[in-house]
Amino acid sequence: MSSPAFQICVYKKGGKSIEVLCKPGTVNRWKEGKLGLDNVLVSEEIYKNHSKMERASESEIEAVVGSLKGIDAIKEILTKGEIALTTAERREKVEQKRREILNFIHSYYVDPSNSLPHPITRLETAMESFRYIVDPFKDAEDQALEVVDKMKGVLPLKKNVMEGSLFIPHAYVAQSQGIIKKWADKSREKWDHNGCTMDVSIVPGNYDKFMQELAKVTHGEHQLTLASSSSSLSSSSSSSTRGGRGRGGRGGGGRGGRGGRGKGK
């Protein structure tokens, strides 16, 4: 079977839609910065409905992309539009998303019998047993939580997080916010004349990175006091660390997924 001569990228908004023709397999590579626009477009024509050979009028284009014109309008369509994937592209995206789902579970969940993550191969076998259909366009974390619900009937699973209290001096609170958001879930905050103390939860695999990045902006002046953890991170019930060093800093949980978020079931 011959390859299609083009793919149609459709951008829909407010009940209106416009289309551009693209070379097969190029749009995602353009979005990743791997191709120039000249290597993506079959033509610079914008259609209302290509199958009927209906070109879009200026008013129809404006109804979807606003005041953008010409190439800028086309870039908007490519960026926000949807494109029917080739069989090979869809297969690749499904596999990539499946790996993200498995890595998320490996990072955030452990076997409650030994507080260690299940091997990826074991998770794969469990996932295959109930034939979960991976959606290549749906968020990996959302799908991972669905898989965990089904997987609990096949494998024992327990959410794996480190919880504790993080103190940041006033001088460094603003610079620390992005790092905290990136690696941890933050809940209660308490302010006093020294700074801010907040409750945080962290995936063990992200602990070292979290401490290293905080140390850069606080010059080691932050303090993290860890409560008892679901994994075997410390023989004591709690530990206090300054500047990212001390007990409780290394342990199970595998590699970190998308930051140190504490979501899950």
Side-chain angles (χ1 to χ4, degrees):
M1 182 181 295
S2 60
S3 300
F6 57 82
Q7 290 177 296
I8 300 176
C9 184
V10 184
Y11 182 24
K12 299 179 181 180
K13 185 178 179 181
K16 306 289 185 179
S17 67
I18 49 179
E19 308 171 349
V20 292
L21 304 186
C22 310
K23 298 174 184 177
T26 60
V27 175
N28 287 329
R29 293 174 66 193
W30 173 77
K31 289 180 179 179
E32 295 168 357
K34 297 178 180 178
L35 280 180
L37 199 59
D38 290 345
N39 294 316
V40 175
L41 299 176
V42 172
S43 75
E44 295 183 8
E45 193 70 56
I46 299 177
Y47 293 89
K48 176 182 178 181
N49 188 325
H50 175 263
S51 63
K52 297 180 180 180
M53 295 305 294
E54 295 178 354
R55 291 178 171 82
S57 65
E58 288 187 10
S59 61
E60 288 168 336
I61 295 172
E62 185 175 349
V64 179
V65 299
S67 61
L68 297 175
K69 306 289 184 182
I71 290 298
D72 290 332
I74 290 173
K75 288 180 179 179
E76 185 78 353
I77 296 168
L78 294 177
T79 300
K80 297 183 178 179
E82 296 181 356
I83 192 163
L85 300 178
T86 65
T87 301
E89 285 178 321
R90 185 174 184 86
R91 188 183 302 118
E92 181 181 352
K93 279 191 168 292
V94 167
E95 178 59 22
Q96 178 183 354
K97 190 70 67 172
R98 189 177 72 89
R99 286 290 170 189
E100 290 177 12
I101 292 168
L102 290 168
N103 286 334
F104 182 93
I105 298 171
H106 181 72
S107 297
Y108 285 76
Y109 291 84
V110 294
D111 182 344
S113 67
N114 58 17
S115 294
L116 295 174
H118 289 288
I120 289 288
T121 52
R122 187 184 300 165
L123 295 174
E124 284 181 310
T125 300
M127 188 171 170
E128 290 169 359
S129 70
F130 49 82
R131 298 179 181 179
Y132 182 81
I133 299 175
V134 174
D135 184 337
F137 303 106
K138 187 176 177 180
D139 184 76
E141 180 176 335
D142 291 341
Q143 293 189 82
L145 298 180
E146 294 174 356
V147 171
V148 166
D149 279 342
K150 296 177 180 293
M151 197 174 281
K152 284 180 177 177
V154 181
L155 282 179
L157 291 169
K158 181 174 69 173
K159 189 72 192 309
N160 183 32
V161 293
M162 300 164 65
E163 296 180 333
S165 177
L166 175 65
F167 169 76
I168 304 287
H170 281 297
Y172 309 115
V173 171
Q175 302 97 304
S176 301
Q177 290 302 316
I179 297 170
I180 295 168
K181 184 177 180 180
K182 177 181 178 182
W183 296 114
D185 260 351
K186 178 180 68 173
S187 53
R188 183 186 63 87
E189 291 184 350
K190 182 178 180 181
W191 295 80
D192 60 25
H193 64 282
N194 293 314
C196 180
T197 301
M198 61 199 80
D199 292 338
V200 295
S201 59
I202 317 158
V203 173
N206 289 340
Y207 175 87
D208 286 342
K209 292 178 182 177
F210 183 44
M211 289 293 96
Q212 288 165 7
E213 292 192 18
L214 276 181
K216 289 180 181 178
V217 299
T218 68
H219 305 288
E221 293 301 314
H222 66 282
Q223 180 173 351
L224 176 64
T225 302
L226 297 177
S228 57
S229 173
S230 62
S231 61
S232 303
L233 295 172
S234 174
S235 58
S236 61
S237 60
S238 66
S239 58
S240 180
T241 78
R242 283 189 180 273
R245 301 183 63 181
R247 299 181 66 186
R250 301 178 186 274
R255 297 179 60 188
R258 195 178 65 186
R261 302 182 61 187
K263 290 184 179 180
K265 301 183 180 181

